[in-house]
Structure formats: structure tokens, C-alpha cells
Amino acid sequence: MTIRLGIHPSVGRIFPPSLLQSMLSDAEATVDLTNERLDASESFTGLVTFGYDPSFLDAGLDWIHVVRAGYDEFPLETLRDHEITLSNSTGIHGDAVGEAVIGYLLQFARGLHRYRLHEPDHEWNPPAWDDTFTLDGESVCVVGLGTLGRGIARRADALGMSVSGVRRTPTPVDHVETRYGPQELLDAVSDVRFVVVAVPLTDRTEEMVGAEVLSAMRDDAYLVNVARGPVVDQSALVDALRSASIAGAALDVFEEEPLPPESPLWEMENVVVTPHAAAATEDYPNRIAALVHENSRRLAAGESLANRVV
């Protein structure tokens, strides 16, 4: 089977599409850059993309690969109806996101986010004796123990933290002392210093963290969201932060991205905002290229694709 692979311009939201094209020069496929909208006359077999466009459905594609783990904007049933296979890039972000989360936790524990805010005004503000703490001996609950969650748990455990987690199946997970089911979420978050959300966005997880969960957290606890924005009820989170019912939040994802300038989250000293960047790493293109290369080989050989969603 001859494969013609297209690289969509939306890949440029992460790295240059031409860079991926050069990395796939030895793939079992002809690799070309595409326009925003696809045309069936271009005869692409597969497409590598960040985002979705309705033109994909009628372009004669057999396969679409998403260069991120999330695929919630892709119409799965419609893709099935058009007999288009969808694969994603889950499994490659555990180390980058794990390290980013530890960075958030260290900022809050050591007060680093406050010192950074004081630099522009040349303010010398040592902390009060009880303003900072160490991660060693502290507790974290990781909600979602897939690739991201396991990467977070391993690093938190290495720093001496007590690690619990929430997942649908009771299977043991390395570096996690206590596991809860989704129905035990309130209990899971009730007595930990950090709650880290790392679940995919589904009908079940949308607004999983709302007012009830936030109210169940300790008033000295911090929320970290590296999942998807809609997993957390952002309005309820703002209310919890304003009322000091939780101590702070580190947020890499939001209900609307980019985060609108008028969002109150920008102005809160106890909130760390990052631009959906927790998975960013200079090695990202290499990891995507390896996945696409392997799936191109499998497609040509008639084998089942890795990370197949549809």
C-alpha cells in the first residue's frame, strides 16, 4: 500500500510542520505539507494534525493522527461513519508533565511564585516563619493514573511525598500508596495538601472538580490542573480562591484558551497560570515522528495502529 501523508498547518501550534516533515523523510510514505482545508483531489492517505476541520471528512483520508493526547473536538462517531481511523499521542507526555507538576508544587511549597512577582518592583520580602514548607512528608492526590498521572506519582514519591490516586480500576499503581474509585473522589481530596487533576476530558469527567469537590479540600490545599480546562468548573474555582476555601491553584488548561485578559485568574497572587505548556519539550517533535513513522509502517502493512482511538 502506497501512503501519502499530509501534515496540517495546525501542527505549528506546537512545532514547525516542516520540521516534522524532515524527520519523516525515511518513513514508508510520501510526506507533504497541506493547506488548512483539505481536498479529495490531493489524495492523502493519512493526516497529522493538531486541530480538526470538517474538510477532513470528505478528503478521502484513511487515517488521522493527533499530535496531542486530547481529541475531544474530533467527532468520533462521524469519523467511524466515514471509516477514518483516529490515533492520538498519549503515552509521550509523562515525563514533561510530571516535571511541570513538580515545578508547580515546589513554587507553592517554597513560595517561589511570590518572589517572582516581587522582582519587577525590587521588593525584598522574606517569608514569615510559617509561610513555606517542604514537599518531603506532604501529601498529594493524583486524579487520573494514566501516563500523566503515573509520571506525576513517580516524581512525587521520589521527593518523599505521600501519594494517593483516583482511577476507575483497582489495579495497583507503582508509587501510589492508596487508590480510590471515582465515586470516592470527595474522600480522596479531603485530607491532602495537593490535588492534581490528570484525567482525559470525557462526558464523565467534565466539571468533575466543581464546588462540592473544592469544598471538600483543605483550606491549605492547592489544586493543579494539567488535564483539560472543562474538567474543572472554572467559576466554582474562582469562588473557592476568592473565599480562601483553598490556598491556591496552578492551571495549565482553561475552559477558554487562550485565557481571556479579563479573567480574574490573571490577577490572583496565589494562582500560577501557564499557557497549556506542561507537555512542552524540545524532544516533542522526535516523539511525534516516532509514533507517526511506526503507524505509517503499520498502515502500509495492514496492521492495527498504535494509540488507536477510532
Side-chain angles (χ1 to χ4, degrees):
M1 180 180 182
T2 302
I3 305 295
R4 184 171 184 229
L5 190 62
I7 301 177
H8 193 259
S10 63
V11 169
R13 293 177 62 177
I14 305 179
F15 51 77
S18 58
L19 177 61
L20 182 59
Q21 182 184 29
S22 67
M23 289 179 169
L24 293 171
S25 59
D26 62 343
E28 297 181 27
T30 301
V31 184
D32 295 296
L33 305 182
T34 76
N35 297 316
E36 287 284 346
R37 294 185 61 80
L38 299 191
D39 189 293
S41 64
E42 297 173 294
S43 302
F44 286 110
T45 315
L47 181 71
V48 182
T49 184
F50 179 96
Y52 173 74
D53 187 272
S55 65
F56 297 173
L57 297 175
D58 299 315
L61 297 170
D62 293 328
W63 164 48
I64 296 172
H65 182 80
V66 187
V67 294
R68 51 194 169 112
Y71 51 84
D72 43 281
E73 69 187 82
F74 287 76
L76 303 188
E77 290 303 322
T78 304
L79 290 173
R80 287 191 185 95
D81 292 342
H82 284 73
E83 298 183 343
I84 300 174
T85 298
L86 179 70
S87 59
N88 72 344
S89 299
T90 190
I92 68 170
H93 306 304
D95 55 353
V97 173
E99 290 184 11
V101 168
I102 294 302
Y104 299 140
L105 270 53
L106 284 168
Q107 285 190 75
F108 289 131
R110 307 307 305 146
L112 305 181
H113 60 303
R114 293 195 297 269
Y115 305 145
R116 187 70 182 88
L117 289 173
H118 298 160
E119 282 185 22
D121 297 323
H122 301 178
E123 294 182 11
W124 185 269
N125 291 321
W129 71 271
D130 57 351
D131 273 353
T132 59
F133 55 94
T134 62
L135 293 184
D136 185 18
E138 283 293 348
S139 53
V140 58
C141 177
V142 183
V143 183
L145 291 170
T147 300
L148 300 188
R150 292 194 301 272
I152 296 162
R154 181 162 70 89
R155 288 159 176 81
D157 183 31
L159 289 173
M161 301 187 74
S162 173
V163 184
S164 58
V166 177
R167 72 177 314 192
R168 284 182 296 173
T169 59
T171 312
V173 177
D174 289 343
H175 309 287
V176 178
E177 299 173 25
T178 307
R179 297 180 310 282
Y180 297 88
Q183 71 281 2
E184 301 172 291
L185 180 58
L186 295 180
D187 289 336
V189 305
S190 65
D191 194 29
V192 293
R193 179 65 79 113
F194 296 98
V195 175
V196 182
V197 186
V199 295
L201 177 60
T202 67
D203 291 343
R204 291 181 178 181
T205 63
E206 186 169 1
E207 295 195 350
M208 167 188 277
V209 179
E212 187 177 18
V213 171
L214 294 165
S215 295
M217 292 171 58
R218 291 164 31 178
D219 60 10
D220 64 346
Y222 297 86
L223 178 74
V224 177
N225 188 8
V226 289
R228 299 286 284 178
V231 172
V232 174
D233 181 338
Q234 198 163 293
S235 177
L237 175 59
V238 168
D239 290 343
L241 291 164
R242 282 176 168 163
S243 66
S245 65
I246 64 171
L251 308 169
D252 189 52
V253 289
F254 305 89
E255 290 177 348
E256 180 182 349
E257 296 181 7
L259 183 65
E262 63 273 15
S263 171
L265 294 169
W266 287 113
E267 308 299 328
M268 295 181 174
E269 185 179 283
N270 58 343
V271 174
V272 175
V273 170
T274 55
H276 207 144
T281 169
E282 63 182 1
D283 198 38
Y284 205 133
N286 292 312
R287 299 178 184 190
I288 295 297
L291 266 175
V292 173
H293 193 292
E294 172 61 14
N295 271 347
S296 296
R297 183 199 67 76
R298 293 189 184 196
L299 189 65
E303 299 175 5
S304 180
L305 302 189
N307 287 7
R308 180 170 178 166
V309 178
V310 172

